[in-house]
């Protein structure tokens, strides 16, 4: 399946029914999700974990490209939508209901759109877990995260190898965002474990 076909399938998926703001639930746009999983595929990653899979878009994309996919999510409602979405497009990632901090394993790649709040521990616990269990990490973050991430990379013996800028729209359910800030700049960071 090529990238356009993956994007097409991902754009048919359902998003969050009732976004839980405390869990920073928002959907990655299909085009960006397709970019991330297609890059993993081109890099030859075989085993992939999606941390905080939400309604499953990254996990399902990776599954459609025949990677061996595990998807971790704490919220029951989001997971049931993710399962419904997977069935709809004939994907079958291995869904696990867990807090990411208590999840363990070893994977060629981690893909994630984690909570952006790195002031509290919410976002950071995703990055720490990702750098621990993944040989390659593809994660989205808010602007200005690179200094922090470089320090984390040092701690976990990873190197930051790429950063790419995107804009994503946040859903209207996030009432505290103004009209302009509905288009939010984000960065996709790619890290790799040092040999
Ligand atoms: N990966 C999805 C959802 C991103 S939103 C996508 O790209 O569209 C972040 C997700 O992380 C939400 O679904 C939220 O419920 C989940 N989450 C937040 N804290 C978590 C935790 N501690 N453990 C597992 N999942 C968590």
């Amino acid at each position: 399946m090529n990238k356009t076909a993956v994007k097409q399938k991902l754009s048919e998926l359902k998003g969050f029914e009732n976004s839980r703001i405390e869990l920073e639930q928002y959907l990655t746009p299909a085009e960006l999700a397709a970019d991330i999983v297609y890059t993993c595929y081109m890099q030859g990653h075989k085993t992939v974990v999606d941390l905080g899979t939400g309604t499953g878009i990254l996990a399902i994309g990776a599954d459609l490209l025949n990677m061996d996919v595990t998807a971790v999510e704490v919220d029951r409602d989001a997971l049931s939508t993710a399962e419904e979405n997977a069935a709809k497009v004939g994907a079958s990632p291995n869904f696990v209901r867990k807090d990411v901090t208590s999840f363990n394993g070893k994977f060629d790649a981690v893909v994630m759109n984690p909570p952006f709040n790195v002031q509290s521990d919410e976002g950071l616990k995703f990055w720490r877990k990702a750098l621990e269990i993944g040989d390659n990490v593809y994660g989205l973050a808010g602007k200005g995260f690179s200094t922090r991430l470089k320090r984390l990379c040092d701690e976990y013996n990873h190197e930051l190898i790429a950063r790419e800028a995107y804009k994503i729209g946040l859903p209207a359910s996030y009432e505290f965002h103004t009209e302009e800030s509905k288009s939010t700049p984000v960065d996709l960071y790619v890290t790799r474990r040092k040999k």
Side-chain angles (χ1 to χ4, degrees), residues 24-28 52-54 57 73-74 99-100 113 125:
E24 295 203 35
Q25 295 184 325
Y26 51 87
L27 178 68
T28 301
T53 195
I57 194 164
E73 171 61 50
V74 74
D99 190 301
V100 293
N113 180 1
K125 69 187 185 189

Side-chain angles (χ1 to χ4, degrees), residues 1-16 26-39 55-62 64-65 85 89 113 140 166-170 186 188:
M1 194 179 282
N2 67 26
K3 187 155 94 175
T4 310
V6 173
K7 181 192 152 191
Q8 179 54 42
K9 288 266 184 213
L10 297 183
S11 66
E12 294 166 16
L13 304 181
K14 277 216 263 180
F16 293 97
Y26 51 87
L27 178 68
T28 301
E31 183 158 20
L32 172 50
D35 263 2
I36 295 172
V37 296
Y38 205 76
T39 305
T55 54
I57 194 164
L58 294 170
I60 291 168
L64 290 173
L65 290 165
N85 277 336
V89 296
N113 180 1
L140 294 170
Y166 287 88
K167 281 202 165 169
I168 63 172
L170 289 173
V186 299
L188 170 66

Side-chain angles (χ1 to χ4, degrees), residues 131 152-159 192-195:
L131 295 165
L152 279 173
C153 281
D154 287 343
E155 198 180 319
Y156 288 87
N157 199 37
H158 271 241
E159 56 194 332
R192 181 170 59 196
R193 194 182 302 284
K194 290 186 195 162
K195 296 278 182 272

Side-chain angles (χ1 to χ4, degrees), residues 16 20 22-29 33 36 50-59 72-76 78-79 96-102 111-116 122 125-126 140 174:
F16 293 97
R20 288 175 60 187
E22 76 280 14
L23 289 174
E24 295 203 35
Q25 295 184 325
Y26 51 87
L27 178 68
T28 301
I36 295 172
D50 176 7
L51 296 181
T53 195
T55 54
I57 194 164
L58 294 170
V72 184
E73 171 61 50
V74 74
D75 182 50
R76 194 190 299 273
L79 262 190
V96 179
R97 180 155 178 255
K98 254 191 175 170
D99 190 301
V100 293
T101 42
S102 56
V111 293
M112 61 179 189
N113 180 1
F116 285 0
E122 266 327 292
K125 69 187 185 189
F126 275 74
L140 294 170
Y174 284 72

